[in-house]
Amino acid sequence: MIGLVYAGGNSKRFGQDKATYQVPGLPASNIQLAVTKLELFCSRVLVCANSHNEAQIKQLLGTDALVKVICDVHPFDHHGPLSAIFAATAQFSNSQDYLSVAVDYPYIKRATLNCLAHTPQSYIATSKHNHYALAHFRITNYQVKQWLRNDNWRLHTFITDICGCQPLIYKSTKEFSNLNYQGVNQQHEK
């Protein structure tokens, strides 16, 4: 299974790069937390960065042979998570299983990722929100390319319609809070 970290967003609402940010009280930056958690379940981890945070992410992650930092690739660049999925799938010639995590979920628990890793074609859902960026899916680069050629950029329709993922239901907790605004959601529920 390939781990995929969405780390290329502009973080405009947050006010600074979410990938390289370290939430007070947590032991590492958001990117380091995401990669460390995915390495437990994945043979390789791809981090999709942007041109502004790529160098800093590489510095934070060091020289781990199982981790590769990539950026969006033309002609499907600058379109959020689907650009990252296209860039990731371009690394392989055949179908792969991907376990995806957005970098702005620093509280996601290893046990939750373990369950997701063992539930193919699934995404996390709570009573408050569907978390399509927390997903386990199998896809080829060709399938992604065909989808994107029709200007389909909505992650939720890709995850449900193309990948055939079903919700993996969890109770709403801080674990599933994402960091859209600095200072919000930064108290971890134990």
Side-chain angles (χ1 to χ4, degrees):
M1 182 179 315
I2 307 300
L4 174 57
V5 183
Y6 305 122
N10 292 324
S11 304
K12 289 179 184 177
R13 291 176 291 179
F14 191 68
Q16 71 182 79
D17 185 64
K18 286 189 261 187
T20 58
Y21 180 75
Q22 183 171 341
V23 175
L26 293 183
S29 68
N30 292 337
I31 191 62
Q32 291 167 306
L33 293 172
V35 167
T36 299
K37 291 171 190 174
L38 285 176
E39 283 183 314
L40 297 171
F41 313 106
C42 301
S43 59
R44 197 163 174 204
V45 177
L46 299 176
V47 175
C48 195
N50 61 47
S51 60
H52 303 292
N53 67 8
E54 179 184 17
Q56 191 174 3
I57 286 174
K58 285 181 177 179
Q59 183 179 6
L60 285 168
L61 296 177
T63 57
D64 187 337
L66 300 179
V67 179
K68 183 176 183 181
V69 180
I70 61 174
C71 288
D72 294 351
V73 293
H74 187 73
F76 303 117
D77 49 350
H78 306 295
H79 288 287
L82 281 167
S83 292
I85 293 169
F86 179 74
T89 59
Q91 306 292 310
F92 304 97
S93 59
N94 55 1
S95 180
Q96 298 289 327
D97 272 283
Y98 295 90
L99 183 60
S100 68
V101 175
V103 77
D104 55 357
Y105 285 93
Y107 304 119
I108 193 75
K109 295 177 182 174
R110 289 183 176 118
T112 302
L113 289 177
N114 183 40
C115 187
L116 190 60
H118 287 90
T119 311
Q121 310 315 106
S122 62
Y123 64 90
I124 299 293
T126 66
S127 60
K128 294 183 180 182
H129 191 69
N130 290 321
H131 301 274
Y132 300 107
L134 302 171
H136 177 179
F137 55 91
R138 185 170 189 83
I139 199 82
T140 66
N141 182 256
Y142 177 78
Q143 291 171 295
V144 178
K145 187 185 296 186
Q146 292 305 109
W147 175 258
L148 298 180
R149 281 189 173 151
N150 293 316
D151 266 346
N152 294 313
W153 297 104
R154 298 189 59 94
L155 181 61
H156 83 272
T157 43
F158 177 81
I159 291 294
T160 57
D161 295 359
I162 296 302
C163 298
C165 292
Q166 298 296 313
L168 189 58
I169 309 293
Y170 277 83
K171 201 167 112 180
S172 291
T173 66
K174 293 274 184 178
E175 176 183 10
F176 305 110
S177 297
N178 69 351
L179 302 178
N180 282 325
Y181 299 96
Q182 201 165 22
V184 176
N185 301 325
Q186 292 181 3
Q187 294 299 316
H188 180 53
E189 186 176 289
K190 300 203 184 228

